[in-house]
Amino acid sequence: MTNATFKDKNSALKEVSSLVAKCLGKPESYVDVCIIDNVAMSFGGTTDTAALVTLGSLGCIDGRTNKKTSAAVFKYLGDAIGLDSRRGYIHFIDLPAEDTGYGGSTFA
């Protein structure tokens, strides 16, 4: 989510999907991406360009992978919307298989 505007959301969706799959070492068919732009948002007391990213994954959430993913995502956001990497957060969430539904069941 960001208060900035993505010029071409479809292109951004494809790029972020590929980027996340590569960073996590997962097939892109396991990745879903949602971009919410143009939201009213404040970070650090200002409304300068900011972002809040949530990345949930079944596994692949660990210190080394998170640092690599954070660097790649913030670089992308810097290039795409001019985001300063100190103007947002990424929340990494390790999703339990039994708490993640798919195809009418769960991954457990």
Side-chain angles (χ1 to χ4, degrees):
M1 163 181 346
T2 182
N3 56 356
T5 301
F6 280 87
K7 292 177 183 148
D8 182 351
K9 272 196 244 188
N10 286 333
S11 177
L13 288 167
K14 291 175 184 177
E15 290 180 53
V16 173
S17 180
S18 176
L19 176 73
V20 169
K22 181 179 177 184
C23 287
L24 298 182
K26 292 189 175 214
E28 194 170 354
S29 61
Y30 291 6
V31 175
D32 69 62
V33 176
C34 176
I35 293 175
I36 302 169
D37 62 352
N38 297 311
V39 298
M41 184 176 209
S42 168
F43 183 91
T46 76
T47 57
D48 295 343
T49 300
L52 178 61
V53 176
T54 302
L55 192 155
S57 178
L58 296 166
C60 301
I61 300 295
D62 59 61
R64 188 176 77 68
T65 304
N66 294 355
K67 283 183 182 184
K68 175 178 74 172
T69 304
S70 182
V73 168
F74 276 114
K75 179 177 181 341
Y76 174 79
L77 292 173
D79 294 343
I81 60 171
L83 179 72
D84 179 318
S85 63
R86 295 165 295 173
R87 299 266 321 142
Y89 295 120
I90 300 178
H91 298 279
F92 294 95
I93 303 168
D94 192 2
L95 302 169
E98 63 272 12
D99 294 338
T100 305
Y102 176 77
S105 187
T106 67
F107 282 100

